[in-house]
Amino acid sequence: MGIILGPAVGPIWNLMNWKKASGKGAVIASLCGLFLGIMSWVLYAHTQEGGVTIQTLGLNPVMLVGNAISFLSSWFIHWFWSTFIDPQDYDFSTLNKNISLVENDRSGLSDEITTPEELERLLKWIKQRGYVTSTILVVVWPLLSVPAGVFTKSFFAFWVFLAVSWAFVSASIIIILPIIESHDDIIDAFHIRNFALIADRESI
């Protein structure tokens, strides 16, 4: 899965954050990264005992090589293409002018929240926490398992407990916070429904 999806990550990130990013280069880089990832995955499996089989293709080192090359190669190809072949000069300040809402629904959005200064502050807030969370999950979390070596049954159970706890806490936040933020609208919706039912009964 990572070999197929990974090549698109770097180009998409560049398109959203880098004014020189080339759209044509993003497509080319994604396709080239996919090709290189699959090729390296199969070739490395070929070097294993037994050649290319379902078992060797599923080995962790083999899959790691395929994923890493598909992810990193597409990022490098897109950087090279956008820097030396087809550099752009996109003005991100025009982004809001070119995006129109399907419906002019601004419920829950005050004028203070939609100012450029506030949006810039929120963007920095999101990036800071995104970088910290990614570092913890990708670097710190795996490194914490290194001193343990081969997991004992009890340590593995503890590790699974942490992972499950993380999933439950994350799911709870994702589910509960929107309900808290929208509780006024939810209550209004129930009131409107009740008024409509009462009006229907009275009309009968």
Side-chain angles (χ1 to χ4, degrees), residues 23-204:
K24 183 187 297 184
V27 175
I28 294 173
S30 298
L31 294 176
C32 290
L34 175 63
F35 172 76
L36 292 174
I38 294 177
M39 184 177 67
S40 60
W41 176 43
V42 174
L43 288 178
Y44 193 43
H46 181 69
T47 64
Q48 307 298 308
E49 184 178 354
V52 179
T53 64
I54 295 177
Q55 287 72 25
T56 57
L57 288 172
L59 294 175
N60 286 334
V62 175
M63 296 181 67
L64 175 62
V65 168
N67 279 271
I69 290 181
S70 66
F71 176 77
L72 296 175
S73 63
S74 66
W75 206 312
F76 174 77
I77 292 170
H78 190 224
W79 169 83
F80 183 87
W81 189 281
S82 300
T83 302
F84 300 106
I85 300 176
D86 184 31
Q88 303 296 305
D89 189 20
Y90 184 75
D91 184 7
F92 281 95
S93 64
T94 63
L95 191 61
N96 290 336
K97 299 178 182 178
N98 296 325
I99 295 180
S100 58
L101 296 175
V102 177
E103 296 181 0
N104 191 21
D105 183 8
R106 295 173 60 85
S107 57
L109 298 176
S110 62
D111 293 335
E112 293 78 10
I113 294 178
T114 57
T115 60
E117 295 78 13
E118 181 64 13
L119 292 175
E120 184 67 25
R121 186 189 70 82
L122 293 174
L123 178 62
K124 291 180 180 179
W125 188 91
I126 293 171
K127 282 185 175 181
Q128 289 172 355
R129 282 151 183 80
Y131 290 141
V132 171
T133 304
S134 299
T135 302
I136 292 174
L137 293 178
V138 177
V139 180
V140 178
W141 181 264
L143 286 177
L144 291 176
S145 66
V146 174
V150 179
F151 285 10
T152 62
K153 186 176 294 186
S154 59
F155 188 80
F156 180 72
F158 171 71
W159 203 254
V160 172
F161 170 76
L162 289 179
V164 173
S165 300
W166 175 279
F168 272 105
V169 170
S170 302
S172 300
I173 292 174
I174 293 172
I175 295 171
I176 294 173
L177 276 184
I179 296 176
I180 294 175
E181 293 176 351
S182 306
H183 72 280
D184 290 336
D185 294 331
I186 295 173
I187 293 174
D188 290 341
F190 276 109
H191 287 165
I192 293 172
R193 178 178 177 275
N194 290 334
F195 286 141
L197 290 175
I198 294 172
D200 289 340
R201 289 173 184 174
E202 291 177 351
S203 63
I204 295 174

